[in-house]
Amino acid sequence: YRKLVTRPLPVAGGLAAAIVLGTALFGRLVLKILYGVEFADYYVEFLIIALAASVQLFSSTWGYALTSARRFGLQVKLTAITCTATTAAAFALIPWWDITGAALSVLVGSAVTALVFFAAVRAVANAPMPVPDPAVGDSDQQPATAATTDYAE
Protein backbone atom coordinates (compact mmCIF):
# COMPACT_ATOMS: atom_id res chain seq x y z
CA TYR A 1 0.00 0.00 0.00
CA ARG A 2 2.79 2.43 0.85
CA LYS A 3 4.45 1.78 -2.49
CA LEU A 4 1.14 2.46 -4.22
CA VAL A 5 0.87 5.77 -2.39
CA THR A 6 4.45 6.96 -2.83
CA ARG A 7 5.15 5.85 -6.41
CA PRO A 8 3.09 8.57 -8.18
CA LEU A 9 4.21 11.41 -5.88
CA PRO A 10 7.37 12.31 -7.86
CA VAL A 11 5.27 12.50 -11.02
CA ALA A 12 2.77 14.75 -9.26
CA GLY A 13 5.63 16.90 -7.98
CA GLY A 14 7.14 17.22 -11.45
CA LEU A 15 3.82 18.15 -13.00
CA ALA A 16 3.13 20.62 -10.20
CA ALA A 17 6.49 22.29 -10.71
CA ALA A 18 5.90 22.46 -14.47
CA ILE A 19 2.47 24.02 -13.99
CA VAL A 20 3.70 26.68 -11.58
CA LEU A 21 6.87 27.42 -13.54
CA GLY A 22 5.02 27.52 -16.84
CA THR A 23 2.39 29.84 -15.41
CA ALA A 24 5.05 32.06 -13.83
CA LEU A 25 6.96 32.36 -17.11
CA PHE A 26 4.16 32.38 -19.67
CA GLY A 27 0.96 33.07 -17.75
CA ARG A 28 0.58 36.69 -18.77
CA LEU A 29 1.17 35.81 -22.43
CA VAL A 30 -1.32 32.92 -22.29
CA LEU A 31 -3.95 35.19 -20.77
CA LYS A 32 -3.38 37.81 -23.51
CA ILE A 33 -3.58 35.27 -26.32
CA LEU A 34 -6.57 33.32 -25.04
CA TYR A 35 -8.64 36.02 -23.37
CA GLY A 36 -7.34 39.42 -24.49
CA VAL A 37 -5.20 42.19 -23.09
CA GLU A 38 -7.65 43.11 -20.31
CA PHE A 39 -7.27 39.65 -18.73
CA ALA A 40 -3.49 39.93 -18.54
CA ASP A 41 -4.04 42.13 -15.48
CA TYR A 42 -5.21 39.00 -13.65
CA TYR A 43 -1.83 37.29 -13.90
CA VAL A 44 -1.40 37.04 -10.11
CA GLU A 45 -4.80 35.38 -9.71
CA PHE A 46 -3.94 33.00 -12.56
CA LEU A 47 -0.72 32.09 -10.76
CA ILE A 48 -2.63 31.46 -7.51
CA ILE A 49 -5.04 29.15 -9.36
CA ALA A 50 -2.09 27.33 -10.94
CA LEU A 51 -0.60 26.82 -7.49
CA ALA A 52 -3.94 25.48 -6.24
CA ALA A 53 -4.11 23.07 -9.19
CA SER A 54 -0.60 21.90 -8.38
CA VAL A 55 -1.58 21.14 -4.80
CA GLN A 56 -4.60 19.22 -6.11
CA LEU A 57 -2.29 16.84 -7.99
CA PHE A 58 -1.08 15.51 -4.65
CA SER A 59 -4.62 15.39 -3.26
CA SER A 60 -5.74 13.34 -6.25
CA THR A 61 -2.92 10.87 -5.69
CA TRP A 62 -3.96 10.42 -2.08
CA GLY A 63 -7.61 10.15 -3.13
CA TYR A 64 -6.74 7.26 -5.45
CA ALA A 65 -4.88 5.62 -2.58
CA LEU A 66 -7.99 5.86 -0.40
CA THR A 67 -10.05 4.38 -3.23
CA SER A 68 -7.66 1.44 -3.51
CA ALA A 69 -8.01 0.95 0.24
CA ARG A 70 -11.79 0.86 -0.28
CA ARG A 71 -12.41 3.84 2.00
CA PHE A 72 -15.25 5.29 -0.06
CA GLY A 73 -17.32 6.66 2.83
CA LEU A 74 -14.28 8.36 4.29
CA GLN A 75 -13.66 10.16 1.00
CA VAL A 76 -17.19 11.56 1.05
CA LYS A 77 -16.63 12.95 4.54
CA LEU A 78 -13.26 14.44 3.59
CA THR A 79 -14.75 16.05 0.49
CA ALA A 80 -17.50 17.61 2.62
CA ILE A 81 -14.81 19.08 4.88
CA THR A 82 -12.93 20.56 1.95
CA CYS A 83 -16.10 21.99 0.39
CA THR A 84 -16.93 23.63 3.71
CA ALA A 85 -13.43 25.08 3.99
CA THR A 86 -13.54 26.44 0.45
CA THR A 87 -16.96 28.00 1.00
CA ALA A 88 -15.88 29.57 4.29
CA ALA A 89 -12.75 30.96 2.68
CA ALA A 90 -14.80 32.37 -0.19
CA PHE A 91 -17.21 34.11 2.19
CA ALA A 92 -14.30 35.53 4.17
CA LEU A 93 -11.97 36.55 1.34
CA ILE A 94 -14.09 37.60 -1.65
CA PRO A 95 -15.75 40.63 0.01
CA TRP A 96 -12.34 42.04 0.88
CA TRP A 97 -10.21 41.08 -2.12
CA ASP A 98 -12.69 40.43 -4.95
CA ILE A 99 -11.21 38.13 -7.61
CA THR A 100 -7.96 37.73 -5.71
CA GLY A 101 -10.03 36.55 -2.75
CA ALA A 102 -11.78 34.04 -4.99
CA ALA A 103 -8.44 32.71 -6.20
CA LEU A 104 -7.15 32.53 -2.64
CA SER A 105 -10.25 30.65 -1.52
CA VAL A 106 -9.55 28.03 -4.21
CA LEU A 107 -6.00 27.76 -2.87
CA VAL A 108 -7.28 27.39 0.69
CA GLY A 109 -9.64 24.63 -0.47
CA SER A 110 -6.81 22.85 -2.25
CA ALA A 111 -4.56 23.10 0.80
CA VAL A 112 -7.27 21.74 3.11
CA THR A 113 -7.95 18.92 0.65
CA ALA A 114 -4.27 18.01 0.60
CA LEU A 115 -4.01 18.08 4.39
CA VAL A 116 -7.08 15.99 5.16
CA PHE A 117 -6.43 13.44 2.41
CA PHE A 118 -2.78 13.12 3.47
CA ALA A 119 -3.82 12.61 7.09
CA ALA A 120 -6.37 10.00 6.03
CA VAL A 121 -3.85 8.11 3.90
CA ARG A 122 -1.39 8.06 6.80
CA ALA A 123 -4.08 6.75 9.12
CA VAL A 124 -5.14 4.08 6.63
CA ALA A 125 -1.53 3.05 6.00
CA ASN A 126 -1.00 2.52 9.72
CA ALA A 127 -4.31 0.70 10.29
CA PRO A 128 -5.01 -2.92 9.44
CA MET A 129 -6.95 -3.39 6.23
CA PRO A 130 -10.60 -4.26 6.89
CA VAL A 131 -11.81 -7.71 5.96
CA PRO A 132 -14.80 -7.35 3.64
CA ASP A 133 -17.99 -8.51 5.33
CA PRO A 134 -21.15 -8.44 3.22
CA ALA A 135 -23.32 -8.64 6.33
CA VAL A 136 -21.96 -5.34 7.73
CA GLY A 137 -23.15 -3.13 4.89
CA ASP A 138 -20.62 -0.43 5.76
CA SER A 139 -19.85 1.93 2.88
CA ASP A 140 -16.14 1.67 3.70
CA GLN A 141 -16.22 -2.11 3.30
CA GLN A 142 -17.24 -3.81 0.09
CA PRO A 143 -18.24 -7.45 -0.27
CA ALA A 144 -15.73 -9.82 -1.78
CA THR A 145 -15.99 -10.31 -5.52
CA ALA A 146 -15.48 -13.40 -7.62
CA ALA A 147 -11.91 -12.24 -8.24
CA THR A 148 -11.11 -12.27 -4.51
CA THR A 149 -13.16 -15.29 -3.44
CA ASP A 150 -11.80 -18.80 -3.64
CA TYR A 151 -14.37 -21.07 -5.27
CA ALA A 152 -12.68 -24.41 -4.77
CA GLU A 153 -15.73 -26.61 -5.24
Side-chain angles (χ1 to χ4, degrees):
Y1 181 75
R2 287 190 176 121
K3 196 181 277 187
L4 170 77
V5 172
T6 57
R7 181 174 283 163
L9 290 177
V11 175
L15 288 171
I19 289 170
V20 172
L21 184 62
T23 304
L25 295 175
F26 305 110
R28 194 177 307 274
L29 177 64
V30 167
L31 288 172
K32 282 181 188 176
I33 291 171
L34 294 178
Y35 301 108
V37 177
E38 59 274 4
F39 280 89
D41 293 339
Y42 296 105
Y43 165 74
V44 171
E45 290 80 4
F46 187 44
L47 190 57
I48 293 169
I49 295 294
L51 183 59
S54 297
V55 171
Q56 283 291 68
L57 290 171
F58 293 97
S59 302
S60 294
T61 300
W62 295 320
Y64 295 135
L66 289 175
T67 298
S68 72
R70 304 169 90 58
R71 304 302 173 117
F72 307 116
L74 177 60
Q75 289 181 62
V76 173
K77 294 169 190 162
L78 297 177
T79 301
I81 291 169
T82 62
C83 287
T84 303
T86 303
T87 303
F91 275 107
L93 298 173
I94 292 173
W96 294 98
W97 290 309
D98 300 321
I99 194 148
T100 304
L104 288 170
S105 67
V106 172
L107 181 59
V108 166
S110 295
V112 170
T113 303
L115 289 172
V116 297
F117 273 73
F118 175 73
V121 166
R122 282 191 54 115
V124 167
N126 293 327
M129 293 296 285
V131 176
D133 184 0
V136 173
D138 186 4
S139 64
D140 283 340
Q141 296 181 351
Q142 298 297 315
T145 62
T148 60
T149 305
D150 183 18
Y151 289 106
E153 294 183 2

